[in-house]
Amino acid sequence: MRKPPTLLKVLGIAAALAALIPVGYLFFRLGAGSEKAIEELLRPRTLELLFNTTLLVVSVTFTALVIGFLQAWLTARTNLGFGALFAVLATLPLAIPSYVMAFSFTATFPGVSGFLPSWLVLSLATSPYVFLAVSAALVRTDASSEEVARTLGLTKWQVLLRVTWPQVRPAATASSLLVALYTLSEFGAIAILRFDTFTRAIYNAYRLSFDRTAAAALAVVLVLLTLVVIWFERKYRGDYLSVSPASQKRVRISLGKAKPPAVTGLLLIAVVAVGIPLYSLINWSIIGSSTANLNQIMEALSGSVSLAVLAGVVITVFALAIALWIVRYPTKLGRFVELSVWANHALPAIVVALALIFLGANLLPWVYQTTALLIFAYVILFLPNALGTMATPIAQVPKSLEDVANSLGVKGNRSIFKVVLPIAAPGILAGAALVSLTVLKELPATLLLRPNGTETLAVRLWSSTEELAFAQAAPYALLLVVLGGLPALALNRQARKALSEVGK
Amino acid sequence: MLLQIKDLSLNYGEQVVLNKLNLDANQGELTAVLGASGAGKSTLLRLIAGFESPTSGEIFIDSKLVSNRKDVVAPEKRGVGIVPQDSALFSHLTVSQNIGFGLPKGSDARIKELLNLVGLSDYADRKPASLSGGQAQRVALARALAPRPKLILLDEPFSALDAELRARLREDVRRVLRAENATAILVTHDQEEALSLADKVAILRDGKIIQSGSPTEIYNSPVDLGIATFLGDSILVDGHVEDGKIITALGKITPLNTVSEGQVGVAAIRSENFYLQPNPSGDSEVIGRVFFGHDAVVEVQTPKLKIRARSNGPFAPEVGMKVTVWVRGAVNFYPSDKHN
């Protein structure tokens, strides 16, 4: 049994403890001022927020599930035609941060606000998650069981209900619950479209009325809601069904008369989800180009890029240390570290930001409003996903290679540098790039925690939109899509896999 | 005649997959379609099941036209059951739910009967993920048989299993099909499987059935050199016909098929036709031996050529021994014009 190097343990334990600080502190603070907090929570407004948030989460989740499932089934299993094209169109909204999509809607239809546009934007922005998960499941599912069902007397539509759906249901459930978590923690799009949910209320309580207890109380309710969704996810995720590799040729189901409406529907979704944002961003960018302040844009760009790179490096170091630890040297302590880091994976960014503000303002005034605290927030928010993407390539390096390296004279754990990291490098680099791009697009934590004078693309887009200066905001939105969204989509392993398989 | 296939052709663009294929199967008969991989065996099954439409030709089931170029009766209306290569069980259903999938509600007795028949009564409530490969294939067979289809199609049902399991399952499948008096078409590339299991073997090559008949007929009288070398382990020896015998470098051999005087061609001698007589002054020498226990394949250098002989394991001569080579029984002779 190999022993983990001390450095890995130190980094891992540090990350695990740090991960527990923000929420722990939030609950502690609330406990200290509980009377005022309870009073705050008993106001009718809380009930309204609860209703709005639940309404949005349920409606978005359901809509994204329907859209994503139909897109996946139509492109993977029917004679729709242009499967590859429709798969790209279904995935493309991933390249547009949801608050950018929301911005493009307000800029195109000034004055839209409230539930309907929020529901529309978030449904369209999240349906790719369902599409990707379900099409991966469809590709992995043995189509010959669908053919067997035909010979046993089922029509093609009965097969869809009785065989295809049950087989992809675990993937559909898991991805739609991810959509629920995403919606629950969404801040930017909802705030731009002015629909009152917990995230927007927390931000307003803190920013506009400086009511910290109210903000903290609402944040705790949001965390509890998140826990409910996570509980649902755990309960209904189900085991991924064991499936055999996709077999031979499959017959595509003939849609018959349903084909024209299906094509129209998919095109319509693509027009709204991708066409309107692109048109709006380009149109407003052209309008704004004559008055654009190039210095400001460059300043925001360099601010975004330097934060993204810095955070990317820090997160990668921690993620690598923990991934190496848990994959190469499985121990109980390692499991604890992994769990502790994972505990934050669904935490709304606004909650983390708020907790760190309290922590900084009350206990550590010397880090308050510094880049260090912002980076710390990024680590807490994005370490779980980074860990996920980096553990995979490391786990794929056969353990026996290290033994071989040792037998050939490489000393002890130096085999990590000689063998494991070089082989896993492409996957690790892709993971690091993906984390940096996620940081680049981050809005709420950056908005609340950035040091005075630090500007980023997302922050600039936000403040210009608040002033309804759409022409001024558009270049930032465009840059966020081109520099953040599109490269992230290109690096998304699931998306690449789906696009290479679905069109076949 | 339960299944009748007439001049069935299928092209994918330029590529000809099936070319005027003809095949019949009688009620209660197990027909094995034997062919190399890529010969179009699975495609043939998909055509019979109604998943593909033919480019030309006709398929009749129970004297009813089910497929031609224009009309294909939908798979669910054909009364054809399939057992795919990878069993393709419905992974979200239990074993008995899988078997009952094609049955109306309340068919518990039939499900029980089939569970018994395939010997899986104790597994009724298991999920497919917990079954071994052989068990999964039994469930797939039971599921296909449950609605009492007119015809069962088996697509290389044993290929994913290991040798020992394969042999056992073969016996079981034969027994179950007999018990249900099912008519079945099995496609396989495994000649041992086809010969041991089927009532009738049909050989698929170049998109058509080039020979069909009982396993013994097929093995003993291959219609051409291609089938002769494909089936069993044959050595080809040049020869010509004189006085009704084949004259070869290994001596005079009795022809099995009809030959005419003066023909020049090739005799296909199976390894089991050779008899090796140990003889210190023999003109041939054992140069190699692969021992299998029950028998052995012995390689012998005769004065003119090398041969492979199948010998009883315990009596197989050792490498270096001198032997005399005899050809026992009659062999098939193929005149040159036929194999050129």
Side-chain angles (χ1 to χ4, degrees), chain B residues 15-285:
Chain B
Q15 187 201 350
V16 178
V17 184
L18 298 181
N19 182 17
K20 300 210 161 181
L21 177 143
N22 287 285
L23 181 70
D24 298 331
N26 292 316
Q27 170 64 42
E29 210 175 51
L30 171 56
T31 305
V33 176
L34 179 61
S37 50
K41 301 186 299 283
S42 295
T43 310
L44 174 62
L45 287 195
R46 295 172 61 77
L47 280 159
I48 300 175
F51 293 123
E52 311 238 0
S53 20
T55 313
S56 64
E58 289 156 338
I59 302 175
F60 296 87
I61 295 176
D62 231 358
S63 307
K64 209 184 115 207
L65 178 68
V66 291
S67 286
N68 64 14
R69 192 170 58 85
K70 285 188 202 132
D71 293 305
V72 174
V73 174
E76 66 266 27
K77 293 183 184 141
R78 292 189 164 223
V80 170
I82 56 174
V83 181
Q85 197 166 350
D86 53 1
S87 34
L89 297 182
F90 305 118
S91 45
H92 59 296
L93 302 176
T94 63
V95 166
S96 48
Q97 285 169 333
N98 263 281
I99 295 176
F101 194 89
L103 294 173
K105 283 210 173 72
S107 308
D108 296 358
R110 175 72 175 149
I111 296 175
K112 258 206 187 115
E113 181 190 351
L114 282 158
L115 277 169
N116 268 328
L117 194 60
V118 296
L120 290 174
S121 301
D122 296 341
Y123 294 82
D125 298 323
R126 294 266 202 109
K127 281 284 176 78
S130 68
L131 299 179
S132 71
Q135 290 166 339
Q137 279 304 14
R138 283 164 216 261
V139 177
L141 178 65
R143 175 180 64 180
L145 286 168
R148 298 203 167 84
K150 295 181 191 129
L151 183 64
I152 289 270
L153 307 175
L154 301 125
D155 187 1
E156 306 233 9
F158 312 109
S159 63
L161 309 174
D162 61 53
E164 196 191 334
L165 202 58
R166 207 182 303 178
R168 267 212 340 255
L169 192 61
R170 247 183 236 159
E171 285 308 306
D172 283 353
V173 166
R174 197 183 160 83
R175 178 179 56 78
V176 169
L177 290 174
R178 286 258 187 286
E180 289 277 317
N181 190 27
T183 312
I185 308 285
L186 165 89
V187 304
T188 178
H189 65 270
D190 182 339
Q191 44 172 297
E192 199 183 308
E193 191 168 298
L195 294 171
S196 64
L197 199 55
D199 301 307
K200 190 169 92 183
V201 176
I203 294 181
L204 177 61
R205 200 180 65 196
D206 302 329
K208 57 177 83 179
I209 302 294
I210 49 172
Q211 188 177 5
S212 68
S214 75
T216 344
E217 267 168 43
I218 294 275
Y219 191 76
N220 287 339
S221 316
V223 292
D224 69 19
L225 202 54
I227 305 176
T229 47
F230 174 62
L231 286 177
D233 180 18
S234 298
I235 301 272
L236 302 181
V237 181
D238 290 331
H240 63 275
V241 180
E242 223 177 277
D243 297 334
K245 297 270 182 186
I246 314 162
I247 312 298
T248 70
L250 294 168
K252 279 187 189 174
I253 307 173
T254 313
L256 188 63
N257 49 348
T258 321
V259 295
S260 39
E261 204 58 18
Q263 277 179 325
V264 176
V266 179
I269 311 172
R270 293 246 167 72
S271 57
E272 67 265 23
N273 283 102
F274 289 111
Y275 173 62
L276 305 178
Q277 180 192 21
N279 178 359
S281 55
D283 55 1
S284 303
E285 187 184 337

Side-chain angles (χ1 to χ4, degrees), chain A residues 37 90 132 169 176 179-180 190 198 214 230 256 259 283-284 286 326 346-347 361 363 388 411 416 442 475:
Chain A
L132 290 177
R169 196 178 50 200
S176 52
V179 168
I190 293 169
F198 277 108
I230 291 178
K259 196 169 174 176
N283 190 33
W284 280 104
I286 293 170
I326 59 178
L347 212 56
L363 296 181
K411 205 174 148 208
I416 291 177
E442 206 285 332

Side-chain angles (χ1 to χ4, degrees), chain A residues 177-502:
Chain A
L177 284 164
L178 279 182
V179 168
L181 286 177
Y182 185 108
T183 312
L184 206 51
S185 54
E186 173 63 32
F187 165 72
I190 293 169
I192 286 176
L193 294 166
R194 297 196 299 283
F195 183 55
D196 259 336
T197 63
F198 277 108
T199 50
R200 180 164 187 246
I202 293 167
Y203 179 79
N204 285 346
Y206 170 71
R207 251 296 135 85
L208 306 179
S209 45
F210 293 100
D211 186 347
R212 292 189 175 175
T213 313
L218 294 175
V220 167
V221 179
L222 182 55
V223 171
L224 295 179
L225 270 183
T226 309
L227 289 177
V228 170
V229 177
I230 291 178
W231 179 81
F232 264 103
E233 199 224 325
R234 287 287 131 98
K235 184 153 188 266
Y236 291 104
R237 180 170 47 182
D239 297 325
Y240 274 88
L241 301 161
S242 62
V243 278
S244 34
S247 61
Q248 358 109 2
K249 245 185 329 268
R250 51 185 52 162
V251 190
R252 287 181 170 267
I253 291 157
S254 169
L255 287 172
K257 280 182 199 148
K259 196 169 174 176
V263 171
T264 316
L266 290 187
L267 285 178
L268 194 68
I269 290 171
V271 165
V272 180
V274 183
I276 290 182
L278 275 190
Y279 162 79
S280 168
L281 296 194
I282 292 170
N283 190 33
W284 280 104
S285 293
I286 293 170
I287 295 173
S289 61
S290 52
T291 55
N293 186 335
L294 220 59
N295 281 339
Q296 253 180 7
I297 295 177
M298 288 315 292
E299 188 196 1
L301 182 62
S302 78
S304 276
V305 170
S306 48
L307 276 179
V309 170
L310 188 57
V313 170
V314 175
I315 294 171
T316 301
V317 167
F318 279 106
L320 265 187
I322 300 173
L324 280 168
W325 185 3
I326 59 178
V327 173
R328 314 306 286 189
Y329 318 95
T331 60
K332 274 194 186 142
L333 189 59
R335 281 290 300 159
F336 163 75
V337 167
E338 190 192 5
L339 278 179
S340 147
V341 168
W342 255 106
N344 285 339
H345 84 281
L347 212 56
I350 194 109
V351 173
V352 173
L354 202 65
L356 289 182
I357 287 174
F358 292 166
L359 193 70
N362 293 326
L363 296 181
L364 310 163
W366 43 274
V367 294
Y368 187 49
Q369 289 207 322
T370 60
T371 305
L373 195 65
L374 182 55
I375 299 285
F376 184 48
Y378 290 147
V379 173
I380 290 170
L381 287 172
F382 302 128
L383 187 54
N385 284 330
L387 188 56
T389 46
M390 296 195 190
T392 313
I394 289 176
Q396 280 166 348
V397 180
K399 290 203 166 72
S400 57
L401 283 188
E402 277 192 82
D403 298 338
V404 172
N406 288 148
S407 74
L408 292 172
V410 175
K411 205 174 148 208
N413 286 324
R414 286 199 50 76
S415 54
I416 291 177
F417 297 99
K418 281 277 199 183
V419 182
V420 182
L421 291 182
I423 294 176
I428 294 170
L429 287 177
L434 211 50
V435 165
S436 291
L437 293 170
T438 316
V439 171
L440 186 84
K441 294 180 290 178
E442 206 285 332
L443 176 64
T446 317
L447 205 55
L448 287 176
L449 289 171
R450 75 201 154 109
N452 275 333
T454 298
E455 292 293 347
T456 71
L457 298 170
V459 169
R460 276 258 160 224
L461 170 64
W462 169 260
S463 47
S464 306
T465 310
E466 286 220 303
E467 296 158 15
L468 302 180
F470 299 140
Q472 194 187 323
Y476 299 106
L478 201 58
L479 280 173
L480 279 164
V481 172
V482 173
L483 296 180
L486 286 175
L489 182 56
L491 282 171
N492 186 318
R493 211 180 307 167
Q494 213 188 1
R496 274 193 315 214
K497 216 165 163 283
L499 293 185
S500 69
E501 282 169 346
V502 165

